[in-house]
Amino acid sequence: MAQPLTGLTAIVTGAGRGLGRAEALELARLGAHVVVNDFGRPGRDGSGAASAAPAEEVAEEIRAAGGRATVHTGDVADHQQAAELVRLAVDTGGRLDILVNNAGILRDRMVFSMTEDEWDSVIRVHLKGHFNTTRFAAAHWRARAKETGAPVHGRIVNTSSEAFLAGSAGQPNYAAAKGGIVGLTTSTALALAKYGVTANAICPRARTRMTEDVFAGFAAPADGRPDPLAPEHVAPLVGYLASPAAARINGQLLVVHGGMVAIAERPRIAAQFDTAEDFFSYEELDALLTPYYADRPAHETFAAPEVLGLKHG
């Protein structure tokens, strides 16, 4: 029986290590030709000799397992390099079918001490990087659908974070970028649905090089049990969302880690207040809103920190 992604071409950004690597390997296992993107050049091994770029190592792993992989080492936060990435996928695979946006960095600091560069760099890599690849993939799918007069198989899986849902106090740049990615995802989902394209976002929890400090206090089990923070817990959901089976899943936000997938509900209106006059006055708002919030817990905000307590079973 053919694998569900046989004949399809996928891009995975930030795929040289960690979560992106696990996602690239899973998409390849399911039959996709994977364009492995990771920004950087060959490094040095312990002896001082040149070592392969992480993206090339992942591509070789895919090829060794009988799959097909192409390497791209450009910066997806650069508009032109993102365009070249999509062009490479189309040139080598004949078309692009799947885009997994994963590339990211961390520059954690409290909002009162964060530098401009720490803000700009995180927004650039995460939010602009997601937009850049989405923009060129969307143009490709729209052109294909118009040319054939039929919907295409287009799948976007974006990477948000629980930091956005829970309001991570030490990550204002990261939380803002990840919240922006959710907005980009839902907008893209509505814009591209008529072309057969879906766009969804995941909030993964995984132990990677980027998050090693975040999860430093959560050691992997010493008894041989699977690490609940292993990236391999996340990759199968990405493979599923990329498949034909997920055609009706669009504009959704899913939390995934440690053998668990949780579907986040969209915001609901808790209360509505209408003015009795032509315009609200300060006095009227004071009379309506002050008592409404008077008995609410001081720490209760729009954020949902309870998401951090989700676990398997």
Side-chain angles (χ1 to χ4, degrees), residues 30 106 153 194 272:
L30 295 175
L106 288 179
H153 178 100
K194 64 182 178 181
Q272 177 179 329

Side-chain angles (χ1 to χ4, degrees), residues 18-19 102 104-106 108 126 159-163 171 174 178 204-218 227 229-231:
L19 192 56
N102 168 74
I105 61 172
L106 288 179
D108 293 352
H126 287 274
T159 307
S160 183
S161 171
E162 293 170 295
Q171 299 179 302
Y174 185 68
K178 292 306 191 180
R205 192 185 301 180
R207 193 189 311 277
T208 67
R209 189 178 65 162
M210 189 180 83
T211 62
E212 59 186 356
D213 291 336
V214 177
F215 296 125
F218 299 89
D227 182 357
L229 293 175

Side-chain angles (χ1 to χ4, degrees), residues 5-246:
L5 304 185
T6 296
L8 304 183
T9 297
I11 289 172
V12 182
T13 72
R17 300 180 178 89
L19 192 56
R21 171 185 171 274
E23 292 167 344
L25 293 175
E26 177 68 4
L27 294 177
R29 189 188 71 81
L30 295 175
H33 161 220
V34 182
V35 180
V36 181
N37 162 265
D38 198 75
F39 183 44
R41 297 177 177 82
R44 299 277 171 180
D45 63 20
S47 67
S51 59
E56 185 58 49
E57 292 176 349
V58 174
E60 284 298 329
E61 196 171 350
I62 290 172
R63 294 173 191 135
R68 186 180 175 202
T70 301
V71 172
H72 181 269
T73 56
D75 178 8
V76 294
D78 179 282
H79 202 61
Q80 186 55 44
Q81 291 182 54
E84 292 168 0
L85 170 59
V86 172
R87 191 177 307 119
L88 176 65
V90 174
D91 289 346
T92 56
R95 66 187 193 190
L96 174 64
D97 304 283
I98 300 158
L99 170 62
V100 179
N101 283 311
N102 168 74
I105 61 172
L106 288 179
R107 299 289 185 269
D108 293 352
R109 202 175 298 277
M110 299 297 286
V111 69
F112 43 75
S113 56
M114 179 164 288
T115 68
E116 181 180 18
D117 180 68
E118 287 167 341
W119 174 271
D120 288 347
S121 60
V122 169
I123 298 297
R124 177 183 181 272
V125 175
H126 287 274
L127 186 53
K128 187 182 179 186
H130 273 62
F131 160 72
N132 284 344
T133 53
T134 297
R135 183 258 182 262
F136 294 108
H140 167 70
W141 286 322
R142 178 174 180 266
R144 271 176 51 199
K146 285 182 172 292
E147 181 181 347
T148 63
V152 302
H153 178 100
R155 298 286 186 269
I156 300 173
V157 182
N158 288 332
T159 307
S160 183
S161 171
E162 293 170 295
F164 147 67
L165 288 171
S168 181
Q171 299 179 302
N173 48 2
Y174 185 68
K178 292 306 191 180
I181 286 168
V182 173
L184 172 64
T185 302
T186 54
S187 174
T188 302
L190 292 175
L192 301 185
K194 64 182 178 181
Y195 303 120
V197 179
T198 67
N200 295 288
I202 62 171
C203 293
R205 192 185 301 180
R207 193 189 311 277
T208 67
R209 189 178 65 162
M210 189 180 83
T211 62
E212 59 186 356
D213 291 336
V214 177
F215 296 125
F218 299 89
D223 58 4
R225 288 178 299 152
D227 182 357
L229 293 175
E232 288 74 18
H233 287 296
V234 176
L237 176 62
V238 173
Y240 168 74
L241 291 174
S243 75

